[in-house]
Every structure is written in C-alpha cells, then in structure tokens.
Amino acid sequence: MNMEKVKTLGELKSSGYKSKNIKDELRDNLIAKIKKKEASFTGIHGYDDTVIPELERAILSKHNINLLGLRGQAKTRLARLMLNLLDEYIPAVKGSEISDDPLNPISRYAKELIAEKGDQTPIIWIHRSERFFEKLATPDVTVADLIGDVDPIKAANLKLSYADDRVIHFGMIPRANRSIFVINELPDLQARIQVALFNILQEGDIQIRGFKLRLPLDMQFVFTANPEDYTNRGSIVTPLKDRIGSQILTHYPETIEIAKTITQQEAKLDSRQTDMVYVPELAKDLLEQIGFEARESEFIDEKSGISARMSITAYENLLSTAERRTLKNGEDKTLLRFGDFMGVIPSVTGKVELVYEGEQEGAAAVATQLLGDAVKTLFPNYFPKIEKLQRPDEKTPYDDLIEWFFEQTGFELPDDLTDEEYKKRLDEVGPLNELIKKYQPEMEKTDTYFLKEFLLWGLVEFKKLSKQRYTKGIQFNDLYGSYISGL
C-alpha cells in the first residue's frame, strides 16, 4: 500500500487497511522478529538472558510494564527501543488532538467530522518516531498536565458552557493515544496523581472536573522506577502496582567485557582523540573495574547504585587527559599512561553517593582508593599473586625489583613527560623489564609501558613499595623510603 496516495477515509477503506491496537501491533511485530531470529532490542548489552526475555514476554502478554532498577541501567533506553516494534506508519484523522484511528474514532471531533464528510474525511499518516511520549515524574506534575482540564478560553471562544465536553483541553496522556507513553521515576509522582492513572490503565475512562468521558485510549504504558528502599521521596501506590502487568528488574553489567562494550558504544569521543591516544586493553579493563569496586565499596551507598554513565564519562576524561598532555608537549601521538587515571577522579566523585564514612574520607580519596582496589583485583591476572602473609626469608618474584628501589633515592614519573622520556624512564628499571618478559612474554611492546606502571601500582597496593603523589607526578620508593626521606 502506497500510503502517500491514501488521503481520505474512503481510500483507506478501499486499500484493505485493518485497524490494530498498539499492544497487538507490538506483539505482532515482535513475533515477526523472533521468527526471523532478529534482535528485538539492539544496542543493549548484558540483558540477553535476563531482562530482554522478560520484556518480550511482557509484550507478548500485552502488559503495561514497570522497569525497576538503579540509575544507569538502560531503563529509558529499553522503553525507547520499543518504538522499533511499532508499524512504520499508521493513519489518523486529520486535525484530531488525540490521533484518532479513522476506522475506530473515539473523540467527539473525529466522530462529528466523519459524520459530516464520510468517505471524504481527510487522513494523515503518522511515523512511529512520533508515537513516543515521555514524562519525567516530578512533585510539581498535576492531573491537568497528564489528563487535562477545562479550558476557559476555549469555552469563551466557542461560546460553550463548562458543561460541554468540547471545552476540555487534553493533557499529555490523551494526546499520546495510540503511542508508547513513558513515565520516568514513577515513585516521584504524588500519590494523588498516581491515583488519577487507575481508570486509564484499567477501564480507559478519563475524568476531568466532573466530566466522565468514555475514551478507550489505546496506549502502551512503560514506567521506570528505582527500588523503593532507595527512592525515599515516594513509592508506587499499591492499587497502581496492581494494574501494571509486568514488573521487570534491570541490573548492572555482570562482566568487565560487557561493561567495556557499553562504554565503547556510548562514549562520545572526537575522532582526533582516538587517533592520537593509544589505549591498552588493560587500561579499559581497569577503568571498568573501578565501577565494580565502587558497587562493593563500604564508603559508597549501595542503594544509590553506580551508573554506567560513570565509566562512560571517566573514559572520555581519560582520553582527554592524555590528549591534553600530548598537545602541550607538541606531539602527534601518545600512549595512555597510568598517571592519566588521575584525570578520571572528577568523573567518579560526581557519580557516587558517599555514606558517612566516605564523607569523612573525602570524595577524591575514595575515588583514588577505588583505583587502587581495581589494581589489586586485576593484578593476579597478569603477575604471580602476592600473599598477604609471607615468611621473612621467603623468596618472591619481586625481590629484585624491590631491591632496585631500595638502592634508589626515588623513582619519579612526572605527568608532563614526553613519550620518549616516559619510555626511557621505565626502560631504565631493569627488573621491571625482566618481570614483563617472564610473565607477559606475549604482550605487545606498545602495551608493556602501561603494564609496567600497573605492576608498580600493584606492588604499592600489596605494601611492597610506597608511592607519593606530588603536584606534577608520582614518586615510587621502597616501602620505608618515604619515612627515611621524610616525604
């Protein structure tokens, strides 16, 4: 059917078009995708065996849906992707405020227009991209915003009494007829406003200042909410919960690989940054591990969650830190360094909610500790594990390196070193080179410099070396060197 040629109700009838409500539309298109083995929600990672099957079951069941989970778990993204399950175009009565189906009109305007013009009633075609409405629930949202209210100006212009339903100005929900309507952070909606949704969800009635209009709205509702034990501002009233067909729990990425995929997909990077800065795979792993450590940290409120946006913005900051150094040094290319991770601290401190103990430590100190914890967790994947308790005379693979630092007055890595100077300084530490050759012989030469810094940080975290951050860089010493030098 060539939709552009179908301009009137008569032409629509002749075309053989069949009306379909939105829930059947979503269901039929999902069934078609499943049969073709196509992904129904593209660009979503880590939910293939958990959230997406539940969401598909809810759509097949023609349920209104509540996505329940902590911040940064792609709840709104999932709701927006449901658009892809709608028909590309649907017909509507031209001029209707609520996008009336020409074959099944529900508003007074559409019914009267069809009664007057019959098969000559003009129609328009609405693209699926226009069938998504979203409202963030805030305490100031009113019933008039969502449902509608009497419009005294309309009443005066049309010379109608307030008893006439034509004086009603429809709110967002009636105007979203035949569309997906998302209410984000549902618990933030005042209880009395939530109550106004009861009839819409169940019976299709809307009631405005004494009017009771039988408007069987055709809608797919999707709600999002944080767990109620965290959202202290409110909760979902029980009768409304009862009217929501499926509640689906979302979650954070379960592996570093999934987390990396999300970060790489979502990070907004300038192509000049990616061309300029070489990022070892270990650095990407380390960045994601910071988020995993934060979710387990005693200093961070676990109920608030650690958004995936933390890793995304941290990755952007990480590359920008390396880019800035490279530009200042007048170079064209650079290797990402461990010191560049100091640039991600603002991304971490702004994305975590600290408990009392965390506030005492300070946000920046907590962020730095998370980096250290991430190093400690990943260290055994690359080098022999360092046991917490060792006999004084026990030999370890790190003895030569620790001895090297004992004989030095301090090994410094300033932040603003050129790439050539940076590599030269690390190459001068002989035992570092030997450890890399022995335990990571397959490692690409370009990646070994970051790995060397990683090794040094690991020895610091396992209390084999000490480090001191100063204004323009980091100094590493043997464990007691900082005390002897008075640093």
Side-chain angles (χ1 to χ4, degrees), residues 12 34 82 87 107 119 126 149 173 176 200 207 224 256 336 350-351 362 364 428 432 444 487:
L12 184 67
I34 292 172
M82 285 176 69
D87 292 342
S107 74
D119 285 351
I126 302 173
D149 203 349
I173 290 177
I200 294 173
Q207 298 180 25
T224 72
I256 282 182
L336 189 84
K351 295 280 194 300
E428 286 172 353
L432 260 184
E444 291 286 337
L487 290 174

Short mmCIF file of all heavy atoms in Angstrom, two decimals, residues 12 34 82 87 107 119 126 149 173 176 200 207 224 256 336 350-351 362 364 428 432 444 487:
data_model
loop_
_atom_site.label_atom_id
_atom_site.label_comp_id
_atom_site.label_asym_id
_atom_site.label_seq_id
_atom_site.Cartn_x
_atom_site.Cartn_y
_atom_site.Cartn_z
N LEU A 12 -8.76 4.80 2.30
CA LEU A 12 -8.22 3.90 3.32
C LEU A 12 -9.03 2.60 3.38
O LEU A 12 -8.47 1.50 3.44
CB LEU A 12 -8.23 4.59 4.69
CG LEU A 12 -7.60 3.80 5.85
CD1 LEU A 12 -6.09 3.65 5.64
CD2 LEU A 12 -7.87 4.49 7.19
N ILE A 34 11.06 -12.43 16.19
CA ILE A 34 11.50 -13.68 16.81
C ILE A 34 11.58 -14.79 15.77
O ILE A 34 12.53 -15.58 15.74
CB ILE A 34 10.56 -14.06 17.98
CG1 ILE A 34 10.71 -13.06 19.13
CG2 ILE A 34 10.86 -15.48 18.47
CD1 ILE A 34 9.70 -13.24 20.25
N MET A 82 11.43 0.23 22.15
CA MET A 82 10.16 -0.40 21.81
C MET A 82 9.54 0.24 20.57
O MET A 82 8.68 -0.37 19.91
CB MET A 82 9.19 -0.31 23.00
CG MET A 82 9.52 -1.28 24.13
SD MET A 82 8.44 -1.09 25.57
CE MET A 82 6.89 -1.69 24.89
N ASP A 87 4.47 -0.40 13.90
CA ASP A 87 4.38 -0.26 12.44
C ASP A 87 5.01 1.06 12.03
O ASP A 87 4.96 2.04 12.78
CB ASP A 87 2.92 -0.29 12.00
CG ASP A 87 2.27 -1.66 12.21
OD1 ASP A 87 3.02 -2.65 12.38
OD2 ASP A 87 1.03 -1.74 12.21
N SER A 107 -12.89 10.30 19.69
CA SER A 107 -13.13 11.67 20.16
C SER A 107 -14.37 12.25 19.49
O SER A 107 -14.77 11.84 18.39
CB SER A 107 -11.92 12.56 19.85
OG SER A 107 -11.86 12.87 18.47
N ASP A 119 -16.71 9.40 3.59
CA ASP A 119 -15.50 8.86 2.99
C ASP A 119 -14.52 9.94 2.54
O ASP A 119 -13.37 9.64 2.20
CB ASP A 119 -15.86 7.99 1.78
CG ASP A 119 -16.42 6.64 2.21
OD1 ASP A 119 -16.36 6.34 3.42
OD2 ASP A 119 -16.93 5.88 1.34
N ILE A 126 1.05 8.94 10.40
CA ILE A 126 1.96 9.27 11.50
C ILE A 126 3.09 8.24 11.53
O ILE A 126 2.83 7.02 11.60
CB ILE A 126 1.22 9.27 12.86
CG1 ILE A 126 0.07 10.29 12.82
CG2 ILE A 126 2.17 9.58 14.00
CD1 ILE A 126 -0.81 10.24 14.06
N ASP A 149 -7.75 19.45 31.49
CA ASP A 149 -8.52 20.36 32.34
C ASP A 149 -9.48 21.15 31.45
O ASP A 149 -9.36 21.16 30.22
CB ASP A 149 -7.58 21.31 33.08
CG ASP A 149 -8.20 21.87 34.35
OD1 ASP A 149 -9.42 21.69 34.55
OD2 ASP A 149 -7.45 22.49 35.14
N ILE A 173 -1.45 12.51 28.33
CA ILE A 173 -1.83 11.11 28.11
C ILE A 173 -2.84 10.96 26.98
O ILE A 173 -2.62 10.15 26.07
CB ILE A 173 -2.30 10.46 29.43
CG1 ILE A 173 -1.09 10.30 30.37
CG2 ILE A 173 -2.95 9.12 29.19
CD1 ILE A 173 -1.42 9.74 31.74
N ALA A 176 -1.30 11.30 23.74
CA ALA A 176 -0.40 10.19 23.38
C ALA A 176 -1.19 8.95 22.97
O ALA A 176 -0.64 7.84 22.95
CB ALA A 176 0.51 9.87 24.56
N ILE A 200 -7.43 5.00 33.68
CA ILE A 200 -6.83 4.98 32.34
C ILE A 200 -6.21 3.61 32.08
O ILE A 200 -6.34 3.05 30.99
CB ILE A 200 -5.77 6.09 32.21
CG1 ILE A 200 -6.44 7.46 32.30
CG2 ILE A 200 -5.02 5.97 30.89
CD1 ILE A 200 -5.48 8.61 32.34
N GLN A 207 -11.42 11.27 33.73
CA GLN A 207 -12.37 12.11 34.46
C GLN A 207 -11.72 13.47 34.72
O GLN A 207 -10.63 13.54 35.26
CB GLN A 207 -12.77 11.45 35.78
CG GLN A 207 -13.46 10.12 35.59
CD GLN A 207 -13.85 9.46 36.90
OE1 GLN A 207 -14.02 10.14 37.90
NE2 GLN A 207 -13.98 8.14 36.89
N THR A 224 9.24 3.67 34.70
CA THR A 224 10.56 3.32 35.23
C THR A 224 10.62 3.80 36.67
O THR A 224 10.00 4.80 37.02
CB THR A 224 11.71 3.95 34.43
OG1 THR A 224 11.77 5.35 34.69
CG2 THR A 224 11.54 3.71 32.93
N ILE A 256 33.27 -7.57 33.02
CA ILE A 256 34.03 -6.43 32.52
C ILE A 256 33.87 -6.32 31.00
O ILE A 256 33.80 -5.22 30.45
CB ILE A 256 35.52 -6.56 32.91
CG1 ILE A 256 35.70 -6.15 34.38
CG2 ILE A 256 36.40 -5.68 32.02
CD1 ILE A 256 37.12 -6.19 34.87
N LEU A 336 48.55 5.89 26.31
CA LEU A 336 47.87 6.18 27.57
C LEU A 336 48.75 5.73 28.73
O LEU A 336 49.37 4.66 28.66
CB LEU A 336 46.52 5.45 27.63
CG LEU A 336 45.65 5.87 28.82
CD1 LEU A 336 44.88 7.13 28.48
CD2 LEU A 336 44.68 4.76 29.20
N GLY A 350 31.66 12.77 41.06
CA GLY A 350 30.35 13.33 40.76
C GLY A 350 29.27 12.30 40.56
O GLY A 350 28.09 12.63 40.43
N LYS A 351 29.64 11.00 40.55
CA LYS A 351 28.67 9.97 40.23
C LYS A 351 28.38 9.01 41.39
O LYS A 351 27.63 8.06 41.23
CB LYS A 351 29.18 9.14 39.03
CG LYS A 351 29.31 9.91 37.73
CD LYS A 351 27.98 10.07 37.05
CE LYS A 351 28.12 10.52 35.60
NZ LYS A 351 28.79 11.81 35.44
N GLY A 362 36.56 11.73 52.24
CA GLY A 362 36.61 12.71 51.15
C GLY A 362 36.41 12.02 49.81
O GLY A 362 36.94 10.91 49.59
N ALA A 364 37.49 12.59 46.75
CA ALA A 364 38.68 12.35 45.92
C ALA A 364 39.50 11.18 46.47
O ALA A 364 40.01 10.34 45.70
CB ALA A 364 39.54 13.60 45.84
N GLU A 428 64.62 2.08 32.02
CA GLU A 428 65.81 2.09 32.87
C GLU A 428 65.68 1.19 34.09
O GLU A 428 66.67 0.86 34.73
CB GLU A 428 66.12 3.53 33.32
CG GLU A 428 66.72 4.39 32.22
CD GLU A 428 66.84 5.85 32.63
OE1 GLU A 428 66.34 6.21 33.73
OE2 GLU A 428 67.41 6.65 31.86
N LEU A 432 62.00 -4.42 36.10
CA LEU A 432 60.65 -4.30 35.52
C LEU A 432 60.59 -5.02 34.18
O LEU A 432 59.65 -5.78 33.90
CB LEU A 432 60.31 -2.81 35.30
CG LEU A 432 59.43 -2.09 36.32
CD1 LEU A 432 59.16 -0.67 35.84
CD2 LEU A 432 58.13 -2.82 36.57
N GLU A 444 52.23 -7.10 23.61
CA GLU A 444 52.76 -6.17 22.60
C GLU A 444 53.66 -5.13 23.27
O GLU A 444 53.35 -4.66 24.37
CB GLU A 444 51.61 -5.45 21.89
CG GLU A 444 50.76 -6.34 21.00
CD GLU A 444 51.46 -6.72 19.71
OE1 GLU A 444 52.39 -5.97 19.30
OE2 GLU A 444 51.12 -7.76 19.13
N LEU A 487 59.25 12.15 53.31
CA LEU A 487 58.16 12.53 52.39
C LEU A 487 56.82 12.17 52.98
O LEU A 487 56.69 11.22 53.70
CB LEU A 487 58.34 11.78 51.04
CG LEU A 487 59.52 12.24 50.20
CD1 LEU A 487 59.66 11.32 49.00
CD2 LEU A 487 59.34 13.67 49.74
#
